[in-house]
Amino acid sequence: MEIISGERKDLGRALCIITGASKGYGRTLALQLSCLIKPRSVLLLVARSTDQLNKVKEVVRALNDGHRKLDVHCVQADLEKTEGVEKTVQTLKETYSSDMDHLLLINNAASLGDVSRSAMTFTDPAEVNRYLSLNVSCVLSLTARVLQAFPHRDGLQRTVVNISSLCAIKPFPSWVLYCIGKAARDMMFRVLAEEEPDVRVLSYAPGPLDTDMQLQARRFSGDVKLRQSFSSMFSEGQLLSCEESGAKLMKLLLEDEYPSGAHVDFYEL
């Protein structure tokens, strides 16, 4: 595991929540965060797959070898549903301790959606709403409930991270659903930063990661030029590892100097 250096040496005794933590980028962030939080911190891993979450939990424990005494919890939840959000928040309340000094929520869970079609083909509102439910609505609902459950108090830093994308600010042909979702999330968190000045808010675009989602992009993108571009990046070794991208996010969190609500891209750092 890469060692991260920065102004701060750690992120405090923290209550950390990572959605989409069972694989890919979320899994990597869980491992990296586990090395940067103080003993007796809580790491809450949220996803739909119990088996995969438990595997991540075991890797976190092995990585820390018992020295950091982290409290790692897995929450199998469908965050599109109220019950999933409430189950997550209830677990947070049960694991929280009043001497914790950092609440950190990383909204990582997302789906690519159907990238094989143009915007003109999405004539069914129900299809669009299903995508937005997972990628926008539940993100707002979970963030709101977490911040409600843990209101402002002296000595508690509250940080919310949105895993964003270049697609939040640049249109990609045939990626209309994904671009809508990422743009909406960025604006959502910009508004949050304006409304809640005591909450540290960051939208981090991790760059083109070598993940299952990238594989889907290479295989199914309807726009030929885009598909060829992704394939070239893969064949030429230009895709980023989750570890490399995650290290830059950890550095951002440690330095804690970004303007709240900012969109920060991997390539800007």
Side-chain angles (χ1 to χ4, degrees), residues 196-254:
E196 303 294 335
D198 69 295
V199 178
R200 300 287 288 138
V201 182
L202 172 66
S203 288
Y204 175 68
L209 301 175
D210 190 7
T211 61
D212 289 346
M213 187 178 285
Q214 236 294 324
L215 177 60
Q216 293 178 48
R218 294 195 300 274
R219 286 181 175 176
F220 302 120
S221 291
D223 185 78
V224 175
K225 289 183 179 179
L226 192 60
R227 192 167 66 246
Q228 290 174 341
S229 175
F230 285 136
S231 295
S232 295
M233 291 176 72
F234 174 72
S235 61
E236 295 170 12
Q238 296 178 351
L239 297 178
L240 302 171
S241 70
C242 292
E243 290 76 15
E244 182 181 8
S245 176
K248 284 196 176 183
L249 174 56
M250 297 302 115
K251 188 172 187 295
L252 273 173
L253 294 174
L254 285 168

Side-chain angles (χ1 to χ4, degrees), residues 78-144:
D78 182 352
L79 296 175
E80 290 182 78
K81 299 178 180 177
T82 302
E83 308 89 80
V85 172
E86 292 304 319
K87 180 180 180 181
T88 302
V89 173
Q90 183 59 38
T91 306
L92 287 173
K93 289 180 177 179
E94 292 170 356
T95 57
Y96 175 72
S97 173
S98 60
D99 59 351
M100 288 178 169
D101 53 27
H102 197 175
L103 173 70
L104 173 58
L105 168 60
I106 299 184
N107 288 293
N108 169 70
S111 64
L112 186 59
D114 189 342
V115 294
S116 68
R117 298 153 53 193
S118 70
M120 292 288 286
T121 68
F122 287 93
T123 57
D124 181 4
E127 179 184 10
V128 177
N129 288 338
R130 281 193 297 272
Y131 180 83
L132 295 179
S133 176
L134 171 64
N135 291 279
V136 179
S137 304
C138 79
V139 176
L140 176 56
S141 298
L142 178 65
T143 302

Side-chain angles (χ1 to χ4, degrees), residues 26-220:
R27 177 186 183 277
T28 296
L29 295 181
L31 300 183
Q32 292 181 327
L33 271 177
S34 73
C35 297
L36 292 177
I37 51 181
K38 286 184 175 180
R40 297 187 299 124
S41 291
V42 172
L43 189 58
L44 194 72
L45 310 175
V46 185
R48 293 180 177 181
S49 169
T50 303
D51 289 344
Q52 287 179 304
L53 281 177
N54 284 327
K55 290 178 181 178
V56 177
K57 179 179 179 177
E58 291 307 313
V59 175
V60 169
R61 285 180 168 172
L63 179 64
N64 289 277
D65 197 25
H67 297 306
R68 304 185 73 85
K69 297 181 180 177
L70 301 181
D71 193 2
V72 185
H73 290 264
C74 298
V75 178
Q76 188 277 325
D78 182 352
L79 296 175
E80 290 182 78
K81 299 178 180 177
T82 302
E83 308 89 80
V85 172
E86 292 304 319
K87 180 180 180 181
T88 302
V89 173
Q90 183 59 38
T91 306
L92 287 173
K93 289 180 177 179
E94 292 170 356
T95 57
Y96 175 72
S97 173
S98 60
D99 59 351
M100 288 178 169
D101 53 27
H102 197 175
L103 173 70
L104 173 58
L105 168 60
I106 299 184
N107 288 293
N108 169 70
S111 64
L112 186 59
D114 189 342
V115 294
S116 68
R117 298 153 53 193
S118 70
M120 292 288 286
T121 68
F122 287 93
T123 57
D124 181 4
E127 179 184 10
V128 177
N129 288 338
R130 281 193 297 272
Y131 180 83
L132 295 179
S133 176
L134 171 64
N135 291 279
V136 179
S137 304
C138 79
V139 176
L140 176 56
S141 298
L142 178 65
T143 302
R145 284 292 291 117
V146 169
L147 293 177
Q148 285 176 6
F150 302 96
H152 169 76
R153 70 164 171 82
D154 291 341
L156 177 66
Q157 176 177 334
R158 298 186 297 167
T159 304
V160 178
V161 177
N162 166 43
I163 300 303
S164 185
S165 168
L166 179 61
C167 292
I169 57 176
K170 179 181 178 180
F172 279 40
S174 77
W175 281 40
V176 65
L177 291 181
Y178 192 76
C179 288
I180 289 172
K182 290 300 185 182
R185 281 168 63 149
D186 263 33
M187 183 54 74
M188 177 197 309
F189 288 105
R190 286 177 63 188
V191 171
L192 178 65
E194 291 290 328
E195 293 179 344
E196 303 294 335
D198 69 295
V199 178
R200 300 287 288 138
V201 182
L202 172 66
S203 288
Y204 175 68
L209 301 175
D210 190 7
T211 61
D212 289 346
M213 187 178 285
Q214 236 294 324
L215 177 60
Q216 293 178 48
R218 294 195 300 274
R219 286 181 175 176
F220 302 120

Side-chain angles (χ1 to χ4, degrees), residues 4-9 251 254-255:
I4 316 289
S5 62
E7 291 299 318
R8 294 190 293 183
K9 298 300 183 184
K251 188 172 187 295
L254 285 168
E255 292 177 344

